[in-house]
Amino acid sequence: MKRIGMGIVGAGFVGPHHVDAVRRLGYVDVVAIAGSSEATARKKADALGVSKAYASYEALLDDPDIQVVHNATPNYLHFPVNAAAIAKGKHVVSDKPLAMTAAEAKTLVEQAKKAGIINAVTFNYRGNPLVQQARHLIARGDLGTPTFVHGHYLQDWLLKDTDYSWRLEPDKGGASSALGDIGSHWCDLAQHVSGLTITEVLADITTTIKQRKRPTGSREAFAAAGKDESFELVDIKVEDLASVLVRFDNGAKGAFSVGQVCAGHKNDVVVEVCGSKTSLKWRQEHQNELWFGHRDAPNQILQKDPSLMDAEVRGYAHLPGGHQEAWADAFCNLMRDIYGFIAAGKKPTDAHPPAFATFEDGYRANTIVEAILTSAKNGSVWTPVRY
Ligand SMILES: NC(=O)c1ccc[n+]([C@@H]2O[C@H](COP(=O)([O-])OP(=O)(O)OC[C@H]3O[C@@H](n4cnc5c(N)ncnc54)[C@H](O)[C@@H]3O)[C@@H](O)[C@H]2O)c1
């Protein structure tokens, strides 16, 4: 099999998972890492066993050995890095959200289309075997008509006023914090599983912690404050909690909450679809189980087991029943769909495998988040999502 060269810009929390996932495919070479300085890039490259380290993304983009560029930088760099990679004719795997605004995301969709490059966004929950099983069953009609899609994405890593991240600074994270960061995942997942499109939203959004202690030194993503760390007090303008009512294109209703200040919830993504016959629920923190709710029979739990999954989606599970698969395996499934597409020489207009979300999907998530912010700004009114 022809080998594919990959380069990654930004290797903080999630970057190393990109590296790990593509290495597991067996035919991808991690050629280089670009960081914000030569020293940080070199340190990361050494730690991950990557030979080349670049002090800028521009230098990485000039490397002829790299065909696919991964963008795992903070949100404000998504647009410039993605746009520059497209201009160099590289395929791009961007972390979410695709851009800071829907307008920027739309520009990237158009630029990618014009350049004819393969483009992907890491909505990685699509890669979970039982997410694909759920999607398959709903598309086949096993639930009947979906009538209600609900759930949440809750975390607790911003619960204390000493918790801090660039995600809370609008110039680095965007006009939205929790919604852009994890609400975008929920919206993509809910639409992907149900097969429906969110058309209208009504939102109530809150900043529960209005002032936070920003560390004056540097700190790893998601890390708690150190004992002797020094701080400065900053006003927080973006939401850390949100509840949203949604309407879907088939007339189904929905609701979800997003929060990063909810104690005990670590990475608690839940999506439930209630259909006219049966309900189905998937929970990320119990991702090897799929719950089915029945009216006239006992409820059921399907354990992740390739032999119990449908043939069309069985390939997303790689271990027998009882052998748990998890976040990093789902992330690898995503890369398997993306790189399989590239390796097969497919064109961007060809049908994509299901775990492979495109820039178009990233744009749609950006557009939903903007509609949610508009709804809240206008006093929590129903607001159309204008894709
Ligand atoms: N798909 C997921 O589930 C998931 C999970 C976590 C993060 N993310 C996304 O990934 C992105 C990165 O998040 P993170 O948690 O890894 O953040 P992070 O702060 O831990 O890492 C960002 C990295 O980018 C580097 N960087 C900053 N400026 C740079 C520049 N000019 N050139 C090159 N590198 C630069 C930083 O040094 C750091 O190493 C965010 O957009 C986030 O939304 C996605």
Side-chain angles (χ1 to χ4, degrees):
M1 194 164 189
K2 198 164 161 256
R3 300 195 68 82
I4 298 175
M6 175 268 207
I8 184 160
V9 186
F13 162 67
V14 85
H17 294 287
H18 285 245
V19 168
D20 179 46
V22 301
R23 278 184 170 149
R24 286 171 64 184
L25 302 180
Y27 56 91
V28 179
D29 295 316
V30 181
V31 174
I33 289 180
S36 43
S37 70
E38 182 138 25
T40 57
R42 186 73 265 160
K43 200 169 154 208
K44 290 282 178 183
D46 287 348
L48 293 166
V50 176
S51 58
K52 296 189 218 175
Y54 292 113
S56 74
Y57 67 82
E58 290 91 344
L60 180 140
L61 296 180
D62 280 335
D63 190 323
D65 296 334
I66 295 172
Q67 287 93 54
V68 187
V69 174
H70 288 231
N71 185 357
T73 58
N75 299 356
Y76 73 103
L77 290 168
H78 288 188
F79 179 79
V81 173
N82 291 341
I86 295 168
K88 293 279 178 184
K90 310 278 186 187
H91 304 307
V92 184
V93 178
S94 174
D95 223 310
K96 40 54 55 177
L98 175 58
M100 295 269 269
T101 65
E104 277 184 2
K106 185 80 187 161
T107 303
L108 291 173
V109 170
E110 281 157 9
Q111 289 176 344
K113 198 168 171 183
K114 215 163 146 202
I117 55 108
I118 306 300
N119 51 91
V121 175
T122 50
F123 286 129
N124 40 290
Y125 299 110
R126 290 186 181 205
N128 282 85
L130 291 182
V131 164
Q132 287 306 321
Q133 176 72 12
R135 180 175 180 274
H136 173 68
L137 295 179
I138 292 172
R140 197 170 66 187
D142 286 23
L143 265 64
T145 306
T147 53
F148 186 46
V149 183
H150 65 107
H152 59 243
Y153 195 156
L154 304 179
Q155 300 179 327
D156 69 2
W157 66 280
L158 289 176
L159 180 63
K160 300 178 184 171
D161 70 353
T162 48
D163 295 325
Y164 201 81
S165 164
W166 55 258
R167 289 163 169 83
L168 296 160
E169 297 174 5
D171 60 330
K172 297 201 179 63
S176 150
S177 184
L179 284 159
D181 194 31
I182 54 176
S184 56
H185 268 304
W186 193 91
C187 292
D188 182 77
L189 183 63
Q191 295 183 107
H192 184 67
V193 167
S194 67
L196 305 177
T197 299
I198 295 173
T199 55
E200 282 181 273
V201 292
L202 184 153
D204 181 23
I205 72 175
T206 315
T207 306
T208 60
I209 299 182
K210 295 186 172 49
Q211 281 198 321
R212 288 182 183 265
K213 294 171 180 150
R214 178 166 62 191
T216 46
S218 69
R219 193 197 284 171
E220 288 287 306
F222 308 115
K227 227 168 62 198
D228 300 319
E229 226 173 313
S230 58
F231 302 103
E232 56 188 333
L233 209 55
V234 292
D235 293 333
I236 302 297
K237 303 270 186 255
V238 288
E239 84 292 346
D240 50 25
L241 186 70
S243 293
V244 187
L245 293 179
V246 292
R247 290 176 175 158
F248 292 90
D249 56 341
N250 77 334
K253 301 296 169 73
F256 72 96
S257 295
V258 163
Q260 292 174 317
V261 288
C262 303
H265 297 268
K266 303 303 173 187
N267 196 39
D268 189 11
V269 193
V270 176
V271 175
E272 177 170 330
V273 181
C274 302
S276 53
K277 293 195 282 195
T278 302
S279 301
L280 164 161
K281 175 163 61 191
W282 180 78
R283 300 180 295 166
Q284 200 282 144
E285 291 188 350
H286 301 267
Q287 59 190 273
N288 288 269
E289 294 179 354
L290 191 59
W291 176 88
F292 295 91
H294 302 295
R295 158 77 181 258
D296 300 319
N299 295 342
Q300 291 173 306
I301 290 178
L302 169 69
Q303 308 256 12
K304 189 249 5 155
D305 180 339
S307 73
L308 300 176
M309 292 172 63
D310 283 286
E312 293 87 339
V313 291
R314 191 173 290 149
Y316 286 95
H318 302 282
L319 292 166
H323 297 68
Q324 305 300 309
E325 294 182 54
W327 192 95
D329 302 295
F331 207 86
C332 185
N333 274 336
L334 202 76
M335 298 307 162
R336 193 172 282 110
D337 272 5
I338 298 166
Y339 277 82
F341 194 84
I342 295 170
K346 299 266 190 190
K347 294 194 289 296
T349 47
D350 289 335
H352 290 64
F356 179 163
T358 63
F359 276 15
E360 180 68 34
D361 298 305
Y363 160 70
R364 295 174 87 77
N366 269 120
T367 306
I368 297 168
V369 170
E370 276 187 8
I372 292 171
L373 294 185
T374 303
S375 166
K377 203 168 100 195
N378 292 339
S380 299
V381 291
W382 281 108
T383 304
V385 183
R386 300 195 193 282
Y387 296 109

